[in-house]
Amino acid sequence: MKKNIVFACSSGIATSTVVAEKVVEHCKGHGIDVVYQQAIIGELPSLDNSTDLIVVTSQVETKLNTPLVNALPIITGVGEEELLDKIIKLLKG
């Protein structure tokens, strides 16, 4: 199964890279092949409806149609496994 994910943070590089590595690896272990791109939060409205999931590391005020999760638990390590499992459920849903 192939899924598209957008990883977004304030700069489009720093924290989204760390999160992308963990999510892609976790998905691979569950039979999901991830094609992803990194973006900055401000680009999300233009990427809405063009991906299966948006994973962010900072607050998003804009309402989007695409499922969105905040990846802060992956950065802090608190609740990381629960969030990774939620991502799998959203992608397989």
Side-chain angles (χ1 to χ4, degrees):
M1 165 186 317
K2 184 174 280 197
K3 294 292 183 173
N4 294 298
I5 302 176
V6 171
F7 293 92
C9 65
S10 298
S11 69
I13 300 170
T15 55
S16 62
T17 300
V18 172
V19 170
E21 290 172 0
K22 288 189 177 189
V23 170
V24 169
E25 190 63 32
H26 191 76
C27 287
K28 190 182 298 181
H30 286 83
I32 301 171
D33 182 25
V34 174
V35 176
Y36 74 93
Q37 72 181 83
Q38 290 175 257
I40 59 173
I41 296 295
E43 294 174 310
L44 293 180
S46 67
L47 297 169
D48 195 17
N49 298 314
S50 68
T51 189
D52 296 300
L53 181 66
I54 297 171
V55 179
V56 299
T57 60
S58 52
Q59 192 67 27
V60 175
E61 301 297 330
T62 307
K63 293 288 183 198
L64 302 169
N65 296 316
T66 305
L68 182 142
V69 296
N70 190 310
L72 190 59
I74 295 174
I75 301 297
T76 65
V78 178
E80 179 177 337
E81 283 303 314
E82 292 87 349
L83 179 63
L84 289 170
D85 290 342
K86 178 181 178 179
I87 289 169
I88 297 300
K89 286 179 184 156
L90 284 168
L91 292 174
K92 288 188 171 181

